[in-house]
Amino acid sequence: MALATHRTSEFDRDTAVTRRAPGVYDAHLSAGWTIIQAVNGGYLLALMGRALGDALPHPDPMSVTAHYLTASVPGPAVIRTEVVRTGRTMSTGTATLVQFAEDGSEVERLRVLAAYGDLGALPDDVRTTAKPPAIPPYEHCLGTDSAPDGRPAIPGSTAIAERLALRLDPATAGWAVGAPSGKGEMRAWFGLADGREPDPLSLLLTVDALPPTAFEMGLSGWVPTVELTAHIRQRPAPGPLRVAITTRNLAGGFLEEDAEVWDSEDRLVAQSRQLARAVLQG
């Protein structure tokens, strides 16, 4: 049975899954969410999140951890889920995504462990020292198309860029003009190009959709994710999101990326940490 989605949205259409049997879902990995030829990790996380949202009794992802085992490619895939535990306020499940080699053998792409709950039922009490990132106004930031004030466009040839309304803080976009700052920072306004408003599922994409901080550190090339954990803290308000990502340590060819996502009402709605491999050249 095909699960209902917002069919006018590319994101919802391309993360759609069809329940073949209890806990088993057919999916198609869209070429529209690739970086070079590999499928983006945040898109894959959202795809897995949709299947788990059907398999588990609670509606919202709250903590999702994925280990990326092999690079996914556009085409058919199968997601298998398992309910590990169901409680009154939270439920836990696992999911695996497999594709098939030319000889028909299965190749596991990623494995996920997730906790789901109801974000709408959480208490309103918020005590935090976190502050939204300071980013210039949207129209003064750099996108994949040229900005209204004549600022140059961000260079890029990845298909996912066409799906996103992304505007980078010029202070973290020196790599785009051949002058990286050397700092492991990336900040941007974020939305989906077709105007779909953010929700907990799309936040799983948001935490892994910006250019890697390695670019601003003077490195180039693919930066594949090894492990990614996302925490969804609140349902986001309508409007553009602000994303800030930092890297403090690159060692042994690996780096971490810590992300925060803030909504239009200045609320911290998602956090993540990932471990990624870096191409040590530049």
Side-chain angles (χ1 to χ4, degrees):
M1 181 182 74
L3 306 183
T5 61
H6 303 287
R7 291 296 179 181
T8 57
S9 163
E10 284 186 299
F11 171 79
D12 290 293
R13 183 179 64 245
D14 291 345
T15 57
V17 296
T18 300
R19 191 190 311 124
R20 181 200 301 179
V24 182
Y25 301 84
D26 291 314
H28 185 89
L29 308 188
S30 170
W33 302 87
T34 54
I35 298 174
I36 307 176
Q37 295 180 342
V39 182
N40 170 259
Y43 162 76
L44 291 172
L45 201 64
L47 185 76
M48 302 289 271
R50 191 177 295 283
L52 282 163
D54 179 70
L56 296 172
H58 292 92
D60 300 316
M62 298 186 71
S63 176
V64 184
T65 297
H67 285 261
Y68 295 82
L69 308 177
T70 55
S72 299
V73 296
V78 175
I79 300 171
R80 299 189 181 99
T81 65
E82 178 183 353
V83 178
V84 176
R85 181 184 180 276
T86 298
R88 184 176 61 85
T89 59
M90 297 189 71
S91 53
T92 302
T94 63
T96 60
L97 184 145
V98 301
Q99 292 188 291
F100 299 91
E102 291 183 2
D103 63 3
S105 61
E106 288 190 358
V107 181
E108 187 174 357
R109 300 303 192 191
L110 69 154
R111 188 172 297 195
V112 166
L113 175 65
Y116 272 58
D118 185 351
L119 292 168
L122 298 181
D124 293 331
D125 186 20
V126 176
R127 310 179 195 191
T128 181
T129 59
K131 296 181 180 180
I135 302 178
Y138 185 91
E139 61 273 14
H140 294 162
C141 292
L142 306 181
T144 52
D145 56 351
S146 55
D149 63 358
R151 291 175 178 268
I154 298 170
S157 58
T158 61
I160 190 174
E162 299 177 7
R163 320 264 91 75
L164 306 177
L166 188 66
R167 292 282 177 174
L168 289 180
D169 182 343
T172 68
W175 60 272
V177 293
S181 68
K183 299 178 181 179
E185 299 178 351
M186 199 68 63
R187 294 184 295 273
W189 294 94
F190 179 90
L192 293 172
D194 61 15
R196 181 197 188 276
E197 295 290 1
D199 68 1
L201 192 68
S202 71
L203 291 176
L204 297 177
L205 165 72
T206 305
V207 297
D208 190 43
L210 269 60
T213 55
F215 287 3
E216 194 62 0
M217 298 172 80
L219 306 179
S220 60
W222 189 33
V223 185
T225 302
V226 176
E227 181 269 340
L228 170 61
T229 296
H231 294 161
I232 308 304
R233 308 302 302 271
Q234 299 187 63
R235 293 176 182 168
L241 302 167
R242 282 163 292 171
V243 185
I245 304 178
T246 58
T247 294
R248 296 180 60 197
N249 189 56
L250 188 159
F254 291 86
L255 57 83
E256 88 287 347
E257 287 192 341
D258 291 317
E260 292 184 352
V261 182
W262 296 77
D263 72 1
S264 60
E265 296 182 356
D266 287 346
R267 301 180 307 161
L268 181 63
V269 293
Q271 298 166 280
S272 72
R273 165 167 280 200
Q274 69 169 280
L275 181 70
R277 285 196 291 118
V279 180
L280 297 180
Q281 63 182 30

